């Protein structure tokens, strides 16, 4: 699930298709719940995680002003939490995870602890979360009075023992191969690139790869909880962050105080991750159509057609032009998908992407090249983009066993592409390294309620492209006592960050009081963008 990092990864792989996610005092530690122990058989990793959490609780976090190049202004502070690379060997090799925080804005009496955030990916950094306070984001004013806002770079991401699969400057070179194959030769070329990418991950990051899993990220999260001095975790997960929430709630149900899952990855073992990505292709097409309908309604502004069919024809014409000769020498079909896919992801991209599209059709090529071509001089940005895709690939490929038969991949994606052409092949190539993954693939956690799990708040829009609606429904079934807030007839990814009083008030109430509605709630959609 490309999650919130979609646009970065977008055509990035190009090669591989890439386009396109409680108070623990002085060493005392709360052990995982009995149900978690039973499920995990008191195995070595469970014991190792308990040891690591106790150690972190004793050490705490040495908060300092953040490094200047982290882009995190005062009074945000940064620090490190040490975790085992391999939880089965808690005294073996350690890695450091970057964390940051800003204190609650209310009084000491108002404070309810730390609220930890993950924005998705896999591969996204959560370090910008405290900036919701420093930038005075009105949606979070009430909650920030009660909570410290805490972000972190998950293992492998950013400042936390970052992994890599290819040289970043090679990674961003453009144009990439057209994701939509015209021949068997095109498919063979993409398969070669996917295999080489998987090999590159092992060559550059082999020591880390087998430990790049969601359960390990969940164990890391519990160690962070302990290091913060929190007996129980308050957590907001968006996109892939909801899968972290689902697995944490399963492994550590008794450690949860408040948990919000926003835009939910389907946690079914049958869906994670191969089937989930196929479902995504269908949902992307639906939201792509929604955007085109909106453009058609606003033809007086964009001049791209008065019907969806006319807008789609302009898109296909643009795509054909870029395939024939990359626009500006850099923007081919892969780069176009990388840029345009942000519109079905986020309503906030509807106007900017439509504006660039409109300018191009009116003869302004520069606007499109500036928006869609990689910036080869942006060294830091290119390192971050490559790292994000490396983590995305490593986690999804290592988490579960993927199909190894090319016939299956070819059959499934050829069938889907007929009716859902916008993202299907680009998504397939992005994930194909998992078919030849060089380290052992795991069995995913069976997500379910455990003893002590409080009500979890689930927020989901019905037309979400990246995490289709069924994911929210599935997590709701699995977490007894959870509440599902449905934003009907909306599809922007990441609902809690949008202005919708029906949702915003319930998020505040839940985080501030722990109360949920007596039954599930359906909200009308947030406002549609107005050009």
């Amino acid at each position: 699930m490309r999650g919130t990092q979609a646009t970065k990864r977008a055509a990035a792989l190009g090669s591989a298709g890439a386009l396109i996610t409680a108070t623990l005092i002085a060493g005392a530690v709360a052990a995982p719940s009995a149900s978690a122990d039973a499920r995990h058989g008191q195995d070595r990793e469970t014991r190792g995680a308990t040891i690591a959490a106790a150690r972190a609780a004793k050490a705490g976090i040495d908060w300092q002003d953040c490094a200047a190049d982290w882009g995190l202004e005062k009074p945000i502070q940064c620090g490190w939490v040490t975790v085992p690379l391999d939880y089965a060997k808690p005294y073996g090799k350690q890695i450091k995870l970057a964390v940051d925080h800003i204190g609650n804005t209310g009084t000491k009496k108002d404070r309810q602890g730390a609220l930890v955030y993950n924005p998705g990916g896999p591969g996204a950094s959560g370090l910008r979360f405290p900036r919701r306070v420093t930038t005075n984001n009105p949606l979070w004013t009430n909650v920030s009075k009660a909570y410290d806002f805490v972000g972190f770079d998950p293992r492998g991401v950013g400042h936390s023992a970052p992994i890599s699969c290819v040289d970043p400057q090679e990674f961003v070179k453009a144009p990439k191969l057209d994701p939509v194959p015209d021949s068997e030769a095109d498919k063979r070329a993409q398969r070669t690139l996917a295999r080489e990418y998987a090999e590159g991950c092992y060559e550059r990051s082999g020591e880390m790869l087998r430990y790049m899993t969601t359960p390990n990220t969940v164990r890391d999260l519990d160690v962070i909880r302990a290091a913060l001095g929190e007996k129980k975790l308050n957590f907001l997960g968006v996109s892939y962050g909801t899968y972290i929430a689902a697995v944490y709630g399963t492994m550590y149900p008794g450690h949860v105080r408040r948990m919000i899952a926003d835009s939910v990855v389907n946690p079914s073992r049958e869906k994670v991750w191969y089937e989930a990505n196929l479902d995504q292709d269908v949902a992307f097409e639906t939201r792509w159509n929604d955007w085109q309908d909106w453009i058609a309604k606003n033809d007086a502004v964009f001049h791209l057609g008065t019907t969806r069919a006319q807008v789609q024809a302009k898109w296909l014409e643009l795509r054909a032009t870029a395939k024939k000769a990359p626009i500006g020498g850099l923007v081919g079909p892969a780069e176009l998908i990388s840029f345009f896919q942000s519109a079905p992801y986020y309503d906030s991209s509807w106007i900017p992407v439509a504006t660039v599209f409109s300018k191009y059709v009116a003869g302004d090529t520069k606007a499109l090249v500036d928006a869609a071509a990689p910036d080869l001089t942006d060294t830091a940005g290119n390192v971050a983009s490559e790292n994000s895709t490396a983590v995305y690939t490593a986690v999804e490929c290592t988490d579960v066993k993927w199909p190894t038969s090319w016939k299956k991949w070819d059959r499934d994606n050829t069938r889907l592409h007929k009716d859902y052409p916008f993202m299907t092949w680009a998504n397939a190539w992005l994930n194909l390294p998992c078919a030849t993954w060089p380290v052992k693939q795991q069995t995913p956690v069976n997500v379910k309620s455990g003893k002590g799990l409080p009500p979890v708040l689930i927020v989901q829009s019905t037309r979400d492209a990246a995490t289709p609606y069924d994911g929210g429904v599935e997590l709701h079934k699995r977490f007894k006592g959870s509440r599902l807030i449905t934003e009907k007839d909306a599809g922007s990814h990441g609902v809690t960050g949008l202005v919708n009083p029906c949702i915003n008030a319930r998020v505040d109430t839940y985080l501030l009081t722990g109360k949920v509605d007596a039954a599930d709630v359906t909200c009308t959609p947030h406002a549609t963008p107005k050009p």
Side-chain angles (χ1 to χ4, degrees):
M1 304 272 102
R2 280 170 306 279
T4 56
Q5 288 297 289
T7 49
K8 282 187 185 176
R9 273 192 300 275
L13 262 195
S15 6
L19 127 180
I20 60 192
T21 243
T23 308
L24 292 179
I25 309 172
V29 63
S33 72
S35 57
D37 286 346
R39 275 196 296 277
H40 297 274
Q42 276 289 6
D43 61 18
R44 292 170 64 200
E45 288 171 323
T46 302
R47 288 196 297 274
T50 303
I51 290 165
R55 198 161 53 202
K58 193 170 184 179
I61 300 172
D62 181 17
W63 296 113
Q64 305 281 345
D65 290 341
C66 302
D69 60 353
W70 286 25
L72 300 165
E73 65 275 11
K74 294 179 184 181
I76 298 170
Q77 291 188 306
C78 293
W80 302 93
V81 174
T82 301
V83 299
L85 174 63
D86 176 4
Y87 277 95
K89 298 175 181 175
Y91 300 105
K93 182 177 172 62
Q94 308 290 306
I95 58 175
K96 289 185 180 295
L97 306 180
V99 293
D100 68 343
H101 86 141
I102 190 167
N104 72 304
T105 61
T107 65
K108 210 172 192 178
K109 191 177 176 185
D110 293 329
R111 187 177 180 277
Q112 295 193 37
L115 176 63
V116 185
Y117 174 73
N118 179 277
S125 167
L127 291 180
R128 293 182 69 78
F129 182 55
R131 298 196 75 244
R132 296 189 184 184
V133 180
T134 59
T135 58
N136 298 310
N137 185 322
L139 290 182
W140 298 95
T141 300
N142 294 331
V143 173
S144 64
K145 286 177 183 173
Y147 290 94
D148 306 345
F149 278 23
V150 175
F152 71 105
D153 277 350
R155 61 171 53 208
V157 176
H159 305 290
S160 297
I163 67 167
S164 170
C165 292
V166 66
D167 179 83
Q169 293 307 111
E170 286 295 315
F171 178 78
V172 297
K173 278 186 180 174
K176 308 293 185 193
L177 295 182
D178 182 353
V180 179
D182 291 327
S183 65
E184 289 302 313
D186 288 348
K187 292 177 182 177
R188 281 196 298 273
Q190 293 280 15
R191 291 172 65 193
T192 297
L193 289 168
R195 187 177 65 251
E196 288 173 349
Y197 185 83
E199 291 167 355
C201 293
Y202 190 72
E203 286 166 12
R204 295 172 73 94
S205 305
E207 184 185 27
M208 289 276 291
L209 280 198
R210 61 181 292 199
Y211 307 110
M212 290 294 299
T213 65
T214 301
N216 275 337
T217 297
V218 162
R219 295 179 184 107
D220 293 345
L221 178 58
D222 198 59
V223 175
I224 290 170
R225 169 198 61 75
L228 289 166
E230 300 287 318
K231 187 177 179 184
K232 297 202 174 188
L233 177 73
N234 305 293
F235 183 70
L236 169 60
V238 182
S239 191
Y240 168 71
T242 68
Y243 189 55
I244 294 174
V247 176
Y248 188 97
T250 302
M251 289 172 62
Y252 296 102
H255 290 192
V256 178
R257 180 176 179 270
R258 309 258 201 277
M259 180 174 278
I260 298 179
D262 173 2
S263 304
V264 180
V265 168
N266 193 318
S268 163
R269 287 205 272 198
E270 288 67 42
K271 291 291 185 180
V272 174
W273 287 108
Y274 180 79
E275 292 289 340
N277 279 285
L278 298 180
D279 291 346
Q280 206 179 43
D281 301 334
V282 176
F284 258 102
E285 198 74 28
T286 300
R287 198 59 180 160
W288 174 251
N289 291 341
D290 288 349
W291 180 62
Q292 291 186 326
D293 287 338
W294 173 85
I295 289 175
K297 283 178 189 167
N298 290 284
D299 184 59
V301 177
F302 299 116
H303 311 295
L304 291 167
T306 58
T307 65
R308 183 201 300 170
Q310 290 174 349
V311 178
Q312 175 71 0
K314 289 277 199 313
W315 159 252
L316 294 175
E317 187 181 337
L318 168 59
R319 203 187 175 292
T321 300
K323 185 178 178 70
K324 191 173 178 182
I327 298 161
L330 291 170
V331 180
E335 289 71 33
L336 286 177
I337 295 176
S338 181
F339 172 63
F340 274 82
Q341 71 172 346
S342 65
Y345 254 102
Y346 308 110
D347 291 7
S348 60
S349 293
W350 279 20
I351 293 171
V353 177
T355 300
V356 169
F357 192 8
S358 177
K359 285 181 177 179
Y360 172 81
V361 170
D364 181 357
T365 300
K366 184 177 183 298
L368 179 63
V369 175
D370 287 348
D375 180 356
L376 303 180
T377 65
D378 179 14
T379 303
N382 295 336
V383 167
S385 180
E386 190 277 326
N387 168 245
S388 173
T389 301
V391 175
Y392 167 85
T393 309
V395 173
E396 293 212 356
C397 294
T398 311
D399 257 0
V400 301
K401 294 174 177 65
W402 286 71
T404 56
S405 161
W406 166 246
K407 283 184 180 177
K408 177 172 177 57
W409 286 77
D410 193 19
R411 182 178 66 245
D412 290 346
N413 288 283
T414 299
R415 173 180 55 81
L416 270 181
H417 176 77
K418 287 175 185 171
D419 295 319
Y420 311 102
F422 177 65
M423 282 291 295
T424 296
W425 277 114
N427 206 5
W429 305 129
L430 177 66
N431 293 291
L432 189 60
C434 298
T436 56
W437 198 236
V439 301
K440 183 182 178 184
Q441 295 174 319
Q442 308 294 316
T443 300
V445 170
N446 181 26
V447 169
K448 59 183 176 179
S449 292
K451 186 178 179 183
L453 184 70
V456 171
L457 190 65
I458 300 167
V459 190
Q460 184 78 34
S461 63
T462 56
R463 301 178 77 80
D464 188 330
T467 52
Y469 182 70
D470 286 351
V473 174
E474 185 67 25
L475 182 60
H476 183 33
K477 280 184 200 163
R478 288 167 181 262
F479 275 181
K480 293 183 176 69
S482 62
R483 285 292 176 272
L484 174 61
I485 300 176
T486 298
E487 190 183 26
K488 193 176 181 186
D489 299 328
S492 201
H493 189 59
V495 181
T496 54
L498 303 172
V499 177
N500 186 332
C502 175
I503 295 167
N504 306 143
R506 286 178 167 86
V507 168
D508 276 5
T509 297
Y510 174 73
L511 287 174
L512 296 174
T513 71
K515 291 178 182 173
V516 294
D517 289 271
D520 294 338
V521 176
T522 299
C523 294
T524 54
H526 62 273
T528 302
K530 288 185 172 59

